Amino acid sequence: MASTTDLQTYIEEMCARIEVTLDALLPMKTQNPGVLYDSMRYSLFAGGKRLRPVLTLATVEALGGDVDAALPVASTLEMIHTYSLIHDDLPCMDDDDLRRGMPTNHKVYGEATALLAGDALLTHAFQVLGTLQTDVAAPTMLRIIGELAKAAGAMGMVAGQMADMENEGKQANAETLAFIHANKTGALLTASVRIGALFAGAQEAQLQALTTYAQRIGLAFQIQDDILDVVGETEKLGKVVGADAAHAKSTYPVLYGLDESREMVRRLTDEAHHALQASDLAAVRLHQIADWLVSRDK
Amino acid sequence: MASTTDLQTYIEEMCARIEVTLDALLPMKTQNPGVLYDSMRYSLFAGGKRLRPVLTLATVEALGGDVDAALPVASTLEMIHTYSLIHDDLPCMDDDDLRRGMPTNHKVYGEATALLAGDALLTHAFQVLGTLQTDVAAPTMLRIIGELAKAAGAMGMVAGQMADMENEGKQANAETLAFIHANKTGALLTASVRIGALFAGAQEAQLQALTTYAQRIGLAFQIQDDILDVVGETEKLGKVVGADAAHAKSTYPVLYGLDESREMVRRLTDEAHHALQASDLAAVRLHQIADWLVSRDK
């Protein structure tokens, strides 16, 4: 297996290609009304990890698919993720002033524009998928659209966001917390991998193995996030640490303690590795990403 | 041509079928978290005119297509329209307390839930289109998805909303006002007709004629709305009349006067009729709808 340094280089290269693609898919600076696109691009190019599109591309690569052709599809995952961050940060939701050390969208452009920029990014993802010129069969593209929408909407991410909000200020039980994480974060991460698999023509057994992989790293990722929220440093994260605790949100460390939470992250990561090993994929990058999510400190 | 009474009966029948379809497409009352679906359904079943899906179905009918099969597709237009109303009514946008004589979504469910219900309705439209079992070819379904997203997003409805907001408190010129109406309302109305045409397998010349028809009635509809805002009665509309004037929004009556605005509505309606007549469609209902939009008082 290649070293972590290799993974960082790989991620940087993939990020560069994703950003070129996003720029091409959303170049409409000169169109009326300009400030809408400024607002969309402000959050889209605010320097995220690009975890979701990188997962899509690494999955395509593991299946021997065409990574270049998959770039626009991968980029739609980032559009959906970015829209969700913009709306989550709004005053009526989490009311966050900072995101990745920068003022949140509504602090720069105002609430109304931020709301519309989120709406537009969500919609643009489906515009890209509906109009993409690709060799992939149209029924497969439809399935990708269905998977993305299901993961993002009332049966996925929005459901998780809603459940999270409903449980604010309460001590949620394990089942509720699992539901929140599986939907709020897990659904879109899982879709990132599954959409890459579908795009690259995965067999059903491969799709199942990759789904298990994605579900495990999705939960590990969120528990790790909860852990970092407790132990992280403000400077590294670029946001006020302990924000979840301040809002009395349920987290794994609150419910299970730090040590058990760390053990869960390790166990989930092992299960992710095993799922890949049981399939016949050359999934070096996916293995590395699973390890990286556990070791990251931001 | 059949009488207006016939059209009312037709619209009522179509509305009933659309509502049965919407209920089937969004039945998830028992799912966690329930209040999200309550909020989505509250606005979806708040008794709108269902103009957009009716236009889709009437277009399918005019082309001899399968109206039953088109019901889910038509219903996605209503999901998108409803999401836009929920978000438009939010405090950071138009800050409206009433919609069709009922409390707006956020007055009942709170801002955060209303925001998420809008997001979820928008997303659900694409989930329905991506997963629909239909005899229509997959490339056509992809084109429908692309058309819907383009009409709803940063190149359509959201652009119009943004331009509308940017021009609040200013006296917009004719060009800007035309841009606002063509995008804020016109784009989705035009898509309603075009999507019906694509679903029913329209020839290119028919698609063009129907597009012209839709663009003309779309603008006529909005100018008529502006006129009703000036002369309407609060009771009939179920909202505070003169709200646009109070926010100093640009409208056709403000810019052109009432008489000229009424003349524009008549001229646009004539052009809509002529576009249909020049094609070889049995478009009785589309003719009737064009007339109905001019004569309505709410």
Side-chain angles (χ1 to χ4, degrees):
Chain A
M1 195 180 290
S3 72
T4 305
T5 311
D6 288 336
L7 179 67
Q8 288 308 326
T9 307
Y10 175 80
I11 288 176
E12 280 164 24
E13 285 173 6
M14 286 294 172
C15 280
R17 293 164 76 182
I18 291 159
E19 295 195 4
V20 167
T21 307
L22 286 169
D23 186 54
L25 292 172
L26 214 84
M28 304 167 282
K29 290 174 192 172
T30 58
Q31 284 200 11
N32 186 354
V35 73
L36 176 64
Y37 297 110
D38 291 347
S39 171
M40 293 166 78
R41 291 174 61 95
Y42 173 79
S43 291
L44 206 49
F45 296 101
K49 285 182 289 285
R50 312 295 190 201
L51 174 58
R52 290 151 195 82
V54 166
L55 277 172
T56 304
L57 299 174
T59 303
V60 170
E61 192 176 279
L63 288 155
D66 184 341
V67 172
D68 277 336
L71 277 164
V73 175
S75 298
T76 64
L77 273 304
E78 192 68 13
M79 292 178 196
I80 301 269
H81 175 58
T82 303
Y83 121 75
S84 77
L85 299 182
I86 295 173
H87 281 191
D88 282 5
D89 287 338
L90 284 171
C92 71
M93 299 288 293
D94 289 349
D95 194 14
D96 279 319
D97 293 351
L98 286 178
R99 163 79 59 186
R100 297 166 189 150
M102 303 263 289
T104 46
N105 197 295
H106 66 272
K107 298 302 287 184
V108 178
Y109 294 96
E111 282 182 55
T113 301
L115 173 68
L116 292 174
D119 291 344
L121 280 169
L122 168 58
T123 310
H124 203 63
F126 294 105
Q127 186 177 335
V128 168
L129 293 173
T131 57
L132 188 65
Q133 300 298 312
T134 169
D135 291 336
V136 171
T140 301
M141 288 307 299
L142 283 177
R143 186 168 173 194
I144 285 171
I145 288 166
E147 294 246 353
L148 182 60
K150 188 174 176 191
M155 302 170 86
M157 187 172 69
V158 174
Q161 187 64 35
M162 186 74 210
D164 192 23
M165 210 174 62
E166 284 183 338
N167 283 281
E168 204 160 323
K170 298 179 199 169
Q171 185 62 18
N173 61 25
E175 191 188 1
T176 302
L177 190 58
F179 178 90
I180 291 169
H181 283 342
N183 286 280
K184 187 180 173 185
T185 319
L188 200 61
L189 287 170
T190 302
S192 303
V193 170
R194 284 179 61 87
I195 285 168
L198 292 169
F199 190 84
Q203 304 295 314
E204 191 57 35
Q206 294 172 320
L207 184 61
Q208 285 312 312
L210 288 162
T211 302
T212 300
Y213 162 82
Q215 288 170 340
R216 298 303 184 275
I217 66 163
L219 184 52
F221 175 79
Q222 188 58 50
I223 298 176
Q224 182 70 10
D225 228 37
D226 286 354
I227 293 169
L228 290 173
D229 186 69
V230 177
V231 303
E233 297 160 33
T234 304
E235 192 186 354
K236 281 185 184 169
L237 286 164
K239 65 176 179 178
V240 179
V241 169
D244 287 352
H247 290 158
K249 285 200 175 183
S250 304
T251 67
Y252 274 79
V254 167
L255 204 57
Y256 295 96
L258 259 180
D259 288 346
E260 173 61 15
S261 297
R262 287 192 173 113
E263 176 54 30
M264 291 168 94
V265 169
R266 272 189 292 271
R267 197 163 58 237
L268 289 163
T269 306
D270 284 347
E271 289 172 10
H273 285 305
H274 291 150
L276 291 182
Q277 282 153 4
S279 70
D280 58 348
L281 302 168
V284 177
R285 295 304 182 188
L286 294 178
H287 280 295
Q288 290 178 324
I289 290 169
D291 290 332
W292 170 60
L293 291 178
V294 187
S295 63
R296 75 200 165 90
D297 61 357
K298 65 176 179 180
Chain B
M1 195 179 292
S3 73
T4 306
T5 311
D6 288 336
L7 179 66
Q8 288 307 326
T9 306
Y10 175 80
I11 288 175
E12 280 163 25
E13 284 173 6
M14 286 293 172
C15 280
R17 293 165 78 183
I18 291 158
E19 296 195 3
V20 168
T21 307
L22 286 169
D23 186 54
L25 292 171
L26 215 84
M28 304 167 282
K29 289 174 191 170
T30 59
Q31 283 200 11
N32 185 350
V35 73
L36 177 64
Y37 297 111
D38 290 347
S39 170
M40 292 165 79
R41 291 174 61 94
Y42 174 79
S43 292
L44 207 49
F45 296 102
K49 285 182 290 282
R50 312 295 190 200
L51 174 59
R52 289 150 195 82
V54 166
L55 277 171
T56 305
L57 297 174
T59 303
V60 169
E61 191 175 281
L63 287 155
D66 185 342
V67 171
D68 277 335
L71 276 165
V73 175
S75 297
T76 64
L77 273 304
E78 192 68 14
M79 292 179 197
I80 302 268
H81 176 58
T82 303
Y83 121 75
S84 77
L85 299 182
I86 296 173
H87 281 191
D88 281 4
D89 287 338
L90 284 170
C92 71
M93 299 288 293
D94 289 349
D95 194 14
D96 278 320
D97 292 351
L98 286 178
R99 163 78 61 185
R100 297 168 190 149
M102 303 263 289
T104 46
N105 198 294
H106 66 273
K107 297 303 286 184
V108 177
Y109 293 97
E111 282 183 54
T113 301
L115 173 67
L116 292 175
D119 291 345
L121 280 169
L122 168 58
T123 311
H124 203 65
F126 294 104
Q127 185 177 335
V128 168
L129 294 173
T131 57
L132 188 65
Q133 299 299 313
T134 168
D135 292 337
V136 172
T140 301
M141 288 307 300
L142 283 176
R143 185 168 174 193
I144 286 172
I145 288 166
E147 294 246 351
L148 182 60
K150 188 173 177 191
M155 302 169 86
M157 188 173 67
V158 174
Q161 186 65 35
M162 186 75 208
D164 192 22
M165 209 173 62
E166 283 184 338
N167 284 281
E168 204 160 321
K170 299 179 199 169
Q171 185 62 19
N173 61 25
E175 191 188 0
T176 301
L177 190 58
F179 178 89
I180 291 170
H181 283 342
N183 285 280
K184 186 179 174 185
T185 318
L188 199 61
L189 287 170
T190 302
S192 303
V193 170
R194 285 178 61 86
I195 285 168
L198 291 169
F199 190 85
Q203 303 295 316
E204 191 57 36
Q206 294 172 320
L207 185 61
Q208 285 313 311
L210 288 163
T211 302
T212 300
Y213 163 82
Q215 288 169 341
R216 298 302 184 275
I217 66 163
L219 183 52
F221 175 78
Q222 188 58 51
I223 298 175
Q224 183 70 9
D225 228 36
D226 287 354
I227 293 168
L228 290 174
D229 186 70
V230 177
V231 302
E233 297 160 33
T234 304
E235 192 185 357
K236 282 186 185 169
L237 286 165
K239 66 176 181 180
V240 179
V241 169
D244 288 352
H247 290 158
K249 286 200 173 181
S250 302
T251 67
Y252 274 79
V254 167
L255 204 58
Y256 295 96
L258 259 179
D259 289 346
E260 173 60 16
S261 297
R262 287 192 173 114
E263 177 54 32
M264 290 168 96
V265 168
R266 272 189 292 271
R267 198 162 56 237
L268 289 162
T269 306
D270 284 347
E271 290 171 9
H273 286 305
H274 290 151
L276 291 181
Q277 282 153 3
S279 70
D280 57 350
L281 302 169
V284 177
R285 296 304 181 187
L286 294 178
H287 280 294
Q288 290 178 323
I289 290 168
D291 290 332
W292 171 60
L293 291 178
V294 188
S295 63
R296 74 199 165 90
D297 61 357
K298 63 177 179 179

